[in-house]
Amino acid sequence: MSDTHGLYARELTVRYGGLVANSAVSITVRPGEIVGLIGPNGAGKTTFVDALTGFTPMTGEITLDGRAIDALPPHERRAAGLSRTWQSGELFGNLSTTENLLVATRRAGWTALARDVFGRHRRTGREVVDAALEMVGLVDVADTLARDLSLGQQKLVGVARAAAGGCTVLLLDEPAAGLDSMESRALALRLRSIADAGPGILLIDHDMSLVLNVCDRVTVLEFGKQIFTGDPGAARSDPRVVAAYLGTPTEVGHV
Amino acid sequence: MGTVLQFVVLGLGLGAVYIGLGSGLLLVHRATGMINFAQGAIATWGAYVFAELRNTGTLVFPIGSVDLGEPPSTATSLVIALATAIALGFAVHYLAFRPVRQNSVLAQVVVSVALLITIQALVVLRFGPNKVDVESFVPGGTVTVLGASIPTRELLIALVVVVLAALVWCYLRFTRIGIATRAASENERAAVLMGFSPSWLAAIAQAGAAFVGTVAVILASSLTGLNADYFGLLVIPALAVLLVARLESIPILVVAAIGLGSFQSLIGLLVTQPWWPVWAQSGLDQVIPFAVVMVILFVTGNRLPTRGSTQQIRLPDVPIPRMRPVVAIGLLVAAGVALALTEGTIRFGLTTSLILSLLALSYVVLTGYLGQISLAQSAFAGAAGFVLSKASVDWGVPFPVSMILCALLATALGMLVALPAFRIRGAQLAIVTLAAGLGIERFIFNNYSLSPPEGNPIADASLFGLDLAVREGRDLSRLSFSLMVLVIVAIVVWIFVRVASGDMGRAFLAVRANERAAESSGINVRRTKVIGFALSAFIAGIAGCLIGFSRGQLSAESFTVMAGLQLLAVAYLGGITTIGGSLVAGLIGPLGISYVLMRGFLDLGEYYELVLGLALILTAILNPVGIAGATHHQIEFIRRKLARRRADAAPPVDVALREEPTRV
Amino acid sequence: MSDPSPVLSVDGLTAGYNGVPAIRDLSFAVRPGEVVALLGPNGAGKTTSLLAMVGLIPLLGGEVQVFGAPLGRRRPHQLARSGLLLVPDDRGLFPALSIREHMRLAATKRDPRHEQEVLEKFPALLDLGSRRSGLLSGGEQQMLAIAKALLARPKVLIVDEMSLGLAPKIVQDLLPMIGNLARADGIGVVLVEQHIELALSVADRGIVVSHGRAVLASDASALLADRDLVEEAYFGTGRFADPEPVGDPA
């Protein structure tokens, strides 16, 4: 496997007006690897994913399997193999689970229109969808409307939709937010098996136990700056990381 | 130079209406995030009340009236009329806007369109369709400037309205409630947390808007006379002005309104010049402002303010259609038999209903599936019909090539209108498409050099020697024509079902549900929108051609903006997400079978618009899935009940299985 | 201090969206002059419970009493007027409105003396009266948010994630001030924080919420003394680790 496989982001900077939401953040996600991106609320994690996937203007370089993708619109980045989920789920509520996934695996366009009208409606692609559902264990709810699913299931459908049809790197924005600890633990196992099957995963979450248990490496953001990158165990004991999360025991006591 | 100045000043009357309506629209948008398409109609009602008081001494209510004997004084009449307007503003808020404030943008647009239809219909019913004189109590006179005599009345009227707009500005800037209104438009939840009731703020805004608009219309109609259709639809240019003012700046609104009014007046001067091309004598006053607004929107569109809502808005469900040959054949046979068994006006009504259901289907594609609001569908249809008359008569293109060609032209227009949809959405897109519709109506259908008053004849269709003409001698509605319509409708519906159940249909629904999620799933949102607009305009174009064939000529009145709004109304009423809905829409649509029956047997034709408008308001508030959807829900409900009864009989095995935790 | 009746009492509160609870069975009470800190990682259900307390989302279960009366049919703006003030995590400001306009909105009746008193607590705002709040720095915005709440003379003040996006220095100045105000004016305060140390240093009691449930509740001093316990509750490790998932073959 050559060095360029996977996602390489170098020095991504995002500015909103005067505010620097991301300041020269760099990250690498290789195939099969789970990288955690953590940090306190408002640290700029979601902004970083938005920048990677083309939903917010940024400066810096992004390559995917050696190909520069930083000038592509979001849907082309998805086609190139960079997939994401959303913090708020963002499923297509009144489509079924299967159809949510089909949206991501079929190209829409003039040819699709012509094929819809004149051609045979394709059954292919269903296998891909079934495989993705199998992977996250949601075969049972394949025909349920997305908005009727439980929150945990919705999160998993989001993951499956992002992974369906194959991708090089999967960016998961808080897949465990709102899950109870059992669901969260089950999710960790799912993620491991997804990564083992090929794609690299960038996992953003607040659930430290999830991140620390499942990730190969973690990067910690605070105020848009990268304050730590390395082994999860080291992150847990790094004073800067603990301070960023809990606050330092300061002189406040004197007040 | 003097003449130019004179025309500029003459345009101030129009400018005053735009200011009055526009500042009201701005106030309401600030307070509710909604666009009130009925702003002009509300003001027109108030102006009629004033005129009627002064002319006959009768105080007219929506139901009933009071004869005051002698006409009251100007001041008394003015106070009563404005009080009526304020009451109407409150009523509009509590009965129509407030119930839908948490609903989808579509429901909000539909409610305000329904209000427009309802109030316009009420005005005609209560005050009659004719132009009414309105007393000019503003002192008249002229001053001479640059050798031209300039009327002072227009200047005074403009001054009064500008002062009112300034008062609205002060209200928003300096009063606590006004500041709260601005605050709520930025962050409604935070305003609630500070103890303000958004509903109360909105009610005040509606009342204020009705007041300012009514003053403007009373003043302006004293110059020209009062006419319901004309003043009610002046809301469209006022909306364009509002967009130019980015929905928030009253100073820009005032300048743009005066500019537009004067410009339209100047166009009136220009077209009388000998060098001015004849074909461009009509409608330019509507087309050029529209083009300007389009350009401004395209440059600044994605910076237009939209009100964030914390609520997750649930859109009406869209069932994905399946090919059901038995149902399809059954319906076809039933329709064929109905057509064969009827004749004359009834058969013609049925045929019209079939055609209308196609127009409604074009809304199903665009609004139901893709989630875009277009009010220009009838203009697409009309444009196709217009070219059909040229193609079939002047160029001799045979049927059905002519029809497909014209539908493709409508398609091209539709794709053009898709462009603003890249930048704007929701109610603002509705405004732009409405303005486009008005531009097309005035420039093409009402333009005597393009559409001569004697009509644009359309040659009868025939295929392989089969005569498909709608009339023959005294037979006003031939069966072969009706069957041709039936076949074409069936084909188009078949195409729709294929698309809706295929990859494109799914992509439409994904874009409707969530644009950025669709984008992150690899969907090219812009292209998907263009395709949706294209398909929808194609269907509208086919319908326009069929309407043309059924009348034997292009009839401009079938394609007016009001007709288009009524179509949206019936499409929504029928159910904007399903084929069944569009069939229902066809049955209840204007000039369709229900209308024919209402007029012919119940003699209630004149109440058609009123009933339609009221039904639509109720539907948008209570039942966003429309008549067909409600029926569908009931069927589902019964089916589920039956299923449960069956399930009770059998042991619930699968339930236990499903609750087993999934293991890895 | 005697034990006055609580201004806000929450009993078995369960709330969430679309019928799915994000917080279950939360109970606590706040008395005048008392500061309660609600702690826990993001997504634990803290904000959801606040929204339910002020009536912005319906309760799925349990009861909330404000000033001794159940929420009942009172609407959020009515609760706010009666003195239940929430400073939401987005700070609840209006970016295009000036500081002065915010002040104007906050004070139900004009009382220049009170206004002056409040503003003196935030000298940074004094010179910026005509500046739009959208142009203020994060710290200034947070000060404005709190000043605005104080102007309305709250009886209960709930502050959601005050430290969000603020430099620690600013938080160190603001939080203690809220604590002092609560005691001086007899305001019941609920602080929702991720920043545990600071929050506990001003609070009387702390409640740690994790995965939608309160997992630890105690006096602030006790919590501060056993920092490890709080960390474990927070991260779900050690004494708060989940049981191994059932049926896990590994």
Side-chain angles (χ1 to χ4, degrees):
Chain A
M1 196 179 284
S2 96
D3 256 343
T4 57
H5 273 291
L7 174 72
Y8 288 76
R10 288 184 203 91
E11 311 243 308
L12 293 202
T13 298
V14 178
R15 287 193 175 81
Y16 294 130
L19 181 82
V20 182
N22 278 173
S23 163
V25 180
S26 300
I27 210 160
T28 302
V29 185
R30 296 188 198 86
E33 180 178 62
I34 304 183
V35 178
L37 181 64
I38 59 176
N41 216 352
K45 304 181 298 293
T46 297
T47 303
F48 185 65
V49 173
D50 285 348
L52 285 175
T53 48
F55 284 91
T56 194
M58 54 98 204
T59 58
E61 262 177 57
I62 309 169
T63 62
L64 190 68
D65 284 350
R67 176 186 171 202
I69 58 165
D70 40 51
L72 300 180
H75 67 272
E76 289 183 28
R77 294 190 200 194
R78 169 69 175 91
L82 185 62
S83 234
R84 74 171 291 180
T85 67
W86 299 84
Q87 200 173 335
S88 42
E90 315 264 336
L91 297 185
F92 308 120
N94 65 38
L95 295 185
S96 72
T97 304
T98 303
E99 307 225 309
N100 261 278
L101 269 60
L102 280 173
V103 167
T105 55
R106 302 281 183 78
R107 290 287 82 85
W110 292 103
T111 41
L113 182 72
R115 192 176 55 234
D116 282 346
V117 178
F118 302 110
R120 284 166 58 109
H121 282 196
R122 291 188 307 176
R123 304 296 302 174
T124 57
R126 298 264 167 182
E127 305 84 63
V128 180
V129 167
D130 291 343
L133 287 181
E134 187 91 29
M135 182 178 72
V136 294
L138 286 180
V139 180
D140 287 352
V141 293
D143 296 321
T144 310
L145 290 190
R147 63 149 187 269
D148 294 336
L149 298 174
S150 76
L151 186 63
Q153 289 170 324
Q154 290 191 12
K155 294 275 182 179
L156 286 177
V157 172
V159 173
R161 186 178 71 187
C167 63
T168 314
V169 170
L170 202 50
L171 312 173
L172 305 180
D173 193 355
E174 304 218 7
L179 301 191
D180 66 31
S181 41
M182 281 292 288
E183 288 175 313
S184 166
R185 193 168 278 262
L187 177 75
L189 296 169
R190 301 276 185 212
L191 295 184
R192 190 72 261 174
S193 67
I194 292 173
D196 288 344
I201 294 179
L202 181 69
L203 173 66
I204 295 176
D205 218 290
H206 275 87
D207 189 337
M208 286 288 266
S209 59
L210 171 70
V211 171
L212 298 180
N213 285 335
V214 80
C215 290
D216 300 306
R217 280 180 297 120
V218 295
T219 287
V220 185
L221 292 187
E222 190 192 20
F223 296 119
K225 292 197 187 68
Q226 211 163 345
I227 59 167
F228 176 89
T229 298
D231 182 65
R236 180 69 185 80
S237 53
D238 187 286
R240 285 168 302 176
V241 177
V242 175
Y245 262 81
L246 303 179
T248 29
T250 51
E251 65 278 20
V252 172
H254 307 305
V255 179
Chain B
M1 195 59 217
T3 326
V4 170
L5 190 63
Q6 198 176 18
F7 271 81
V8 166
V9 172
L10 284 175
L12 287 180
L14 213 46
V17 179
Y18 299 159
I19 294 173
L21 296 182
S23 45
L25 287 164
L26 186 144
L27 194 56
V28 168
H29 183 263
R30 266 299 170 90
T32 63
M34 296 184 224
I35 300 286
N36 187 0
F37 289 93
Q39 199 71 63
I42 293 170
T44 306
W45 177 274
Y48 263 102
V49 169
F50 173 75
E52 201 68 18
L53 278 172
R54 286 300 290 156
N55 294 349
T56 67
T58 314
L59 174 56
V60 179
F61 297 107
I63 299 167
S65 57
V66 180
D67 193 353
L68 303 178
E70 277 296 291
S73 71
T74 306
T76 315
S77 306
L78 206 53
V79 168
I80 296 176
L82 292 174
T84 315
I86 289 173
L88 192 55
F90 278 117
V92 160
H93 171 69
Y94 284 106
L95 300 180
F97 274 57
R98 188 170 184 272
V100 295
R101 71 200 156 122
Q102 308 284 14
N103 287 24
S104 65
V105 174
L106 175 63
Q108 296 176 348
V109 168
V110 163
V111 156
S112 91
V113 164
L115 266 179
L116 167 60
I117 295 173
T118 309
I119 299 176
Q120 291 278 64
L122 263 181
V123 167
V124 174
L125 283 174
R126 304 296 293 157
F127 299 102
N130 299 324
K131 194 178 252 193
V132 173
D133 284 334
V134 179
E135 179 201 8
S136 328
F137 52 85
V138 177
T142 55
V143 288
T144 307
V145 181
L146 297 170
S149 61
I150 306 294
T152 52
R153 184 170 282 154
E154 271 85 351
L155 287 172
L156 278 174
I157 287 175
L159 186 69
V160 170
V161 181
V162 169
V163 166
L164 281 180
L167 286 177
V168 172
W169 184 83
C170 291
Y171 168 77
L172 286 173
R173 186 128 313 254
F174 300 123
T175 67
R176 185 159 179 260
I177 305 177
I179 296 172
T181 305
R182 282 194 295 141
S185 79
E186 291 197 44
N187 187 343
E188 184 170 307
R189 194 181 74 172
V192 171
L193 289 174
M194 292 181 76
F196 292 98
S197 155
S199 169
W200 176 237
L201 296 174
I204 295 173
Q206 287 282 11
F211 178 90
V212 178
T214 303
V215 171
V217 170
I218 289 177
L219 291 176
S221 60
S222 71
L223 301 168
T224 58
L226 188 56
N227 169 297
D229 265 1
Y230 178 73
F231 278 98
L233 288 184
L234 282 187
V235 74
I236 299 173
L239 284 165
V241 167
L242 179 72
L243 286 185
V244 172
R246 297 169 39 75
L247 298 112
E248 58 183 19
S249 166
I250 287 186
I252 297 179
L253 184 128
V254 168
V255 172
I258 290 176
L260 178 59
S262 303
F263 173 83
Q264 288 176 318
S265 171
L266 273 179
I267 290 271
L269 171 68
L270 275 182
V271 297
T272 58
Q273 304 297 311
W275 47 267
W276 192 263
V278 177
W279 58 266
Q281 274 180 352
S282 164
L284 266 197
D285 55 332
Q286 300 296 334
V287 172
I288 292 180
F290 168 69
V292 171
V293 170
M294 285 277 278
V295 170
I296 291 177
L297 276 182
F298 208 76
V299 176
T300 67
N302 44 6
R303 292 199 294 276
L304 274 184
T306 46
R307 249 168 96 106
S309 170
T310 45
Q311 297 276 329
Q312 268 253 319
I313 291 161
R314 192 172 151 174
L315 298 162
D317 271 352
V318 180
I320 292 176
R322 278 168 300 147
M323 277 295 174
R324 279 179 297 192
V326 181
V327 177
I329 291 170
L331 276 176
L332 268 177
V333 170
V337 169
L339 290 171
L341 291 182
T342 52
E343 56 176 11
T345 52
I346 304 278
R347 181 190 284 162
F348 193 73
L350 278 174
T351 313
T352 306
S353 280
L354 278 172
I355 302 175
L356 289 177
S357 65
L358 271 194
L359 272 175
L361 190 64
S362 83
Y363 274 114
V364 173
V365 174
L366 194 62
T367 308
Y369 272 71
L370 193 55
Q372 309 293 306
I373 307 174
S374 159
L375 300 177
Q377 298 304 99
S378 70
F380 298 153
F386 173 76
V387 182
L388 183 66
S389 96
K390 303 281 173 219
S392 67
V393 176
D394 298 354
W395 311 328
V397 183
F399 177 85
V401 179
S402 57
M403 185 176 76
I404 292 172
L405 217 60
C406 295
L408 285 176
L409 182 107
T411 308
L413 263 184
M415 288 163 71
L416 205 64
V417 175
L419 295 182
F422 290 177
R423 289 297 182 92
I424 54 174
R425 47 183 63 86
Q428 293 166 11
L429 185 60
I431 296 177
V432 173
T433 51
L434 187 59
L438 187 68
I440 294 174
E441 174 189 332
R442 296 283 155 82
F443 191 67
I444 298 181
F445 310 143
N446 291 356
N447 186 339
Y448 287 155
S449 64
L450 295 177
S451 308
E454 62 271 21
N456 279 312
I458 291 172
D460 288 333
S462 70
L463 192 61
F464 307 125
L466 193 67
D467 182 9
L468 299 171
V470 63
R471 290 185 188 81
E472 186 177 37
R474 297 179 59 195
D475 187 356
L476 294 178
S477 183
R478 293 177 62 240
L479 183 59
S480 60
F481 176 78
S482 297
L483 291 179
M484 172 191 85
V485 169
L486 181 59
V487 169
I488 292 174
V489 169
I491 293 173
V492 174
V493 168
W494 177 80
I495 291 177
F496 168 77
V497 174
R498 295 281 297 172
V499 173
S501 59
D503 290 348
M504 262 337 278
R506 196 181 305 110
F508 287 161
L509 289 176
V511 168
R512 177 185 95 136
N514 190 331
E515 283 191 24
R516 55 179 196 163
E519 225 172 348
S520 70
S521 299
I523 287 182
N524 186 336
V525 171
R526 290 187 171 193
R527 189 188 297 149
T528 305
K529 283 185 182 174
V530 169
I531 292 174
F533 268 91
L535 184 64
S536 147
F538 179 82
I539 295 175
I542 296 274
C545 291
L546 292 179
I547 292 176
F549 282 129
S550 75
R551 305 280 191 279
Q553 61 161 337
L554 175 83
S555 47
E557 73 275 11
S558 312
F559 305 113
T560 59
V561 164
M562 273 313 278
L565 293 180
Q566 287 180 15
L567 260 168
L568 172 72
V570 291
Y572 194 87
L573 208 50
I576 200 141
T577 58
T578 59
I579 302 169
S582 58
L583 293 180
V584 174
L587 294 178
I588 59 178
L591 303 181
I593 183 66
S594 306
Y595 176 83
V596 169
L597 295 176
M598 225 170 133
R599 192 185 51 187
F601 294 96
L602 302 171
D603 203 21
L604 289 172
E606 57 175 324
Y607 290 104
Y608 176 78
E609 274 97 2
L610 182 64
V611 172
L612 182 64
L614 288 174
L616 185 57
I617 295 175
L618 283 179
T619 309
I621 293 172
L622 301 175
N623 175 26
V625 286
I627 295 171
T631 320
H632 181 80
H633 278 322
Q634 272 143 18
I635 294 173
E636 274 296 296
F637 180 73
I638 293 166
R639 196 178 287 167
R640 230 176 288 154
K641 256 199 158 163
L642 289 177
R644 195 172 309 148
R645 196 166 299 161
R646 238 174 285 143
D648 285 346
V653 184
D654 56 343
V655 177
L657 281 179
R658 212 165 287 155
E659 282 175 0
E660 192 84 354
T662 350
R663 294 173 186 192
V664 189
Chain C
M1 204 199 282
S2 68
D3 206 27
S5 57
V7 276
L8 173 70
S9 79
V10 173
D11 186 17
L13 177 145
T14 301
Y17 302 92
N18 304 324
V20 183
I23 180 89
R24 295 177 179 87
D25 208 14
L26 178 70
S27 300
F28 68 91
V30 191
R31 293 182 168 73
E34 194 179 38
V35 180
V36 174
L38 208 53
L39 312 164
N42 198 32
K46 305 182 305 282
T47 298
T48 308
S49 52
L50 298 190
L51 295 182
M53 284 173 219
V54 301
L56 277 172
I57 58 171
L59 295 177
L60 297 174
E63 198 187 36
V64 175
Q65 291 209 346
V66 183
F67 316 128
L71 278 188
R73 297 173 56 87
R74 280 184 286 176
R75 307 244 296 283
H77 71 268
Q78 293 165 330
L79 287 168
R81 264 189 239 162
S82 67
L84 177 69
L85 269 283
L86 167 67
V87 178
D89 54 358
D90 67 359
R91 298 185 180 131
L93 300 181
F94 315 104
L97 266 54
S98 68
I99 293 185
R100 210 167 283 127
E101 285 173 325
H102 279 87
M103 296 300 183
R104 180 84 193 279
L105 288 181
T108 37
K109 44 182 186 289
R110 297 200 96 162
D111 181 355
R113 214 163 53 89
H114 181 54
E115 200 166 314
Q116 197 57 33
E117 271 171 29
V118 170
L119 273 179
E120 272 165 11
K121 299 188 172 85
F122 305 93
L125 299 178
L126 275 175
D127 304 330
L128 301 172
S130 57
R131 186 168 297 182
R132 292 175 168 202
S133 73
L135 299 176
L136 300 176
S137 73
E140 288 161 350
Q141 288 189 2
Q142 194 59 272
M143 288 179 210
L144 176 58
I146 292 166
K148 174 175 85 107
L150 292 178
L151 263 184
R153 301 176 185 277
K155 299 193 188 82
V156 178
L157 177 63
I158 306 177
V159 187
D160 192 3
E161 297 278 10
M162 201 192 74
S163 62
L164 194 66
L166 293 188
K169 179 74 185 71
I170 299 171
V171 185
Q172 283 164 27
D173 291 343
L174 276 179
L175 263 181
M177 199 179 83
I178 291 184
N180 295 338
L181 275 173
R183 279 161 204 126
D185 295 353
I187 304 172
V189 174
V190 180
L191 288 179
V192 162
E193 269 301 325
Q194 295 195 336
H195 204 302
I196 291 180
E197 295 281 345
L198 275 172
L200 286 177
S201 70
V202 300
D204 298 301
R205 276 178 300 123
I207 300 166
V208 180
V209 182
S210 177
H211 291 301
R213 283 180 193 284
V215 292
L216 181 62
S218 183
D219 279 352
S221 51
L223 292 176
L224 270 178
D226 194 352
R227 193 183 150 92
D228 284 347
L229 183 72
V230 177
E231 271 184 42
E232 284 165 7
Y234 209 87
F235 292 136
T237 52
R239 281 160 278 180
F240 292 88
D242 305 316
E244 285 302 302
V246 199
D248 185 2

